[in-house]
Amino acid sequence: MLSATSLSRRRLVRGALASGALVTTGGLLSACGTEGTAQSEDSCVSEDASSTDKKVAFSNWPQYMDVDENDESKRPTLLAFQEGSGIQVTYTEDVNDNDEFFGKVQNQLADCQPTDRDLFVLTDWMAARMIRLGWLQKLNKSNLPNVQTNLLRSLRARPFDKNDEYAVPWQSGLTGIAYNGDVTGEVRTIDELLTRPDLKGKVTCLTEMRDTMGLMLLANGHDPSNFTEAQFDDALEKLKRARSSGQIRRFTGNDYSTELASGGIAACIAWSGDVIQLTGENDKIKFVVPDSGIMLWSDNMLVPNKSAHKANAEKLIDYYYDPAVAAELAAYVNYICPVQGAQEKITEIDPDLATNPLIFPDDATLGKAKVFMALDEAQERSYSTKFQQAIGA
């Protein structure tokens, strides 16, 4: 089971993603100007030594892998993979922020050089950027039978990877509304969050553009997975009005959770993984799927160009799509498990987790979930600038 300490660390990592998007804006925008360093299958050819060199180097976020409660240096599912496959895994927790990691590998991938990594995990929007730059290898679907069978339908054919060729979700999460029932009544809609008089000055929104603006677009009847600039601007005006009226106290990273727990704020835009822990401490804190819809995001397994062990990496990816393995991982990390069949398996580990709708959302919830549209370089620069100006960054 995931300890409170472990979940807190993962929450801080997710929070760093959001706050980092704000404080490293200059880096983000300059990184967008890398299209001249784009590669292609023809310009950057990778050779695979998997058949003779049984290794794989795997970079992931901290506290995003199950550990042995009695020996935190041991990772049970990884050990089982190594024993069953004969492939030695070098596992490194060196993905602390999407932009920061981009900076670590940017020069090598731009020059078609090895990163000394065969597999890394990045969030949707960064995966989209790397796909656009041609820095990732297409996956061999014949090596991924579990993925082909068990990947949730709601996570197939996402806007940035429509043919499911590059990115396989590691874990996913939802962005919706959270409220503290000790200080306010139920909040069902984004419009309530942004206009209800009793919430004035007691609301926070996220600094992560895709989460906040995705919900604004949905509230205005637009599709976050396919919108126009005019629709974005329309949704941004809704946010600006709420900020200028004093309805929104501030824009936050992960630190909203402390204020929500204390009652310092009444309601907010929130991540599902945070609310799992908060609900465990106070069952009056609730996560709500807004009537207009919800945002779905994933951290994705990706194989970079010049990986020397692509087939080995694909075996590791597919291993985590075995429902029993996925259940063991989900019991530790407590985010949305992207693997069909894991819900039944997790009952043997912890029956309460099997019925937690923030780990295993029902079909109705997933049917209302949207993944933010893949942006090209110009759109990313334009929308990020507009959003940060609107929130006072």
Side-chain angles (χ1 to χ4, degrees), residues 285-316:
I285 294 176
K286 304 292 186 182
F287 185 84
V288 175
V289 176
D291 291 346
S292 53
I294 198 164
M295 295 306 296
L296 176 65
W297 54 265
S298 300
D299 293 329
N300 304 275
M301 293 179 279
L302 311 164
V303 177
N305 286 347
K306 306 305 285 187
S307 160
H309 309 98
K310 177 173 177 282
N312 291 344
E314 290 167 339
K315 287 181 181 178
L316 182 58

Side-chain angles (χ1 to χ4, degrees), residues 219-233:
N220 276 2
H222 305 316
D223 183 353
S225 66
N226 184 21
F227 59 86
T228 65
E229 184 172 6
Q231 289 171 341
F232 181 91
D233 291 345

Side-chain angles (χ1 to χ4, degrees), residues 181-329:
D182 285 329
V183 296
T184 191
E186 184 179 35
V187 182
R188 291 291 329 164
T189 71
I190 293 297
D191 284 342
E192 280 187 66
L193 186 74
L194 299 185
T195 63
R196 216 167 76 187
D198 65 303
L199 298 177
K200 188 170 183 177
K202 302 176 183 178
V203 169
T204 61
C205 295
L206 293 169
T207 55
E208 170 53 47
M209 179 189 74
R210 289 159 178 81
D211 289 307
T212 294
M213 289 306 300
L215 292 177
M216 298 299 126
L217 284 159
L218 283 166
N220 276 2
H222 305 316
D223 183 353
S225 66
N226 184 21
F227 59 86
T228 65
E229 184 172 6
Q231 289 171 341
F232 181 91
D233 291 345
D234 180 37
L236 194 62
E237 285 302 316
K238 177 188 289 285
L239 189 67
K240 287 179 179 179
R241 287 194 297 271
R243 177 175 180 248
S244 62
S245 72
Q247 184 79 3
I248 299 172
R249 175 182 294 185
R250 66 189 184 101
F251 292 82
T252 75
N254 175 259
D255 47 325
Y256 71 85
S257 58
T258 302
E259 287 188 276
L260 184 64
S262 69
I265 59 171
C268 58
I269 293 177
W271 290 308
S272 58
D274 291 345
V275 180
I276 290 177
Q277 183 179 15
L278 295 178
T279 300
E281 298 166 355
N282 179 358
D283 63 7
K284 294 292 185 66
I285 294 176
K286 304 292 186 182
F287 185 84
V288 175
V289 176
D291 291 346
S292 53
I294 198 164
M295 295 306 296
L296 176 65
W297 54 265
S298 300
D299 293 329
N300 304 275
M301 293 179 279
L302 311 164
V303 177
N305 286 347
K306 306 305 285 187
S307 160
H309 309 98
K310 177 173 177 282
N312 291 344
E314 290 167 339
K315 287 181 181 178
L316 182 58
I317 292 170
D318 203 56
Y319 167 77
Y320 278 100
Y321 271 71
D322 178 309
V325 177
E328 190 172 352
L329 178 65

Side-chain angles (χ1 to χ4, degrees), residues 1 10 19-20 43 71 94 107-108 139-140 155 171 212 272 274 375 391:
M1 276 294 295
R10 177 56 192 148
S19 58
S43 68
D71 184 353
D94 64 342
N107 291 339
Q108 296 99 311
L139 300 172
N140 183 346
L155 292 170
Q171 299 291 295
T212 294
S272 58
D274 291 345
L375 304 179
I391 69 175

Side-chain angles (χ1 to χ4, degrees), residues 80-149:
F81 172 77
Q82 292 178 102
E83 292 169 0
S85 67
I87 296 171
Q88 181 64 38
V89 180
T90 300
Y91 185 75
T92 309
E93 295 180 328
D94 64 342
V95 186
N96 294 304
D97 172 271
N98 283 279
D99 278 318
E100 177 187 306
F101 188 80
F102 183 93
K104 289 180 181 180
V105 299
Q106 175 179 0
N107 291 339
Q108 296 99 311
L109 292 174
D111 292 338
C112 188
Q113 297 297 320
T115 63
D116 298 324
R117 298 170 176 87
D118 302 299
L119 186 66
F120 48 64
V121 176
L122 297 173
T123 308
D124 292 332
W125 60 271
M126 183 57 77
R129 183 191 294 176
M130 288 199 171
I131 292 170
R132 187 177 71 227
L133 289 167
W135 289 357
L136 304 176
Q137 295 190 58
K138 284 185 180 179
L139 300 172
N140 183 346
K141 294 184 181 182
S142 66
N143 289 337
L144 303 170
N146 287 336
V147 176
Q148 296 304 300
T149 301

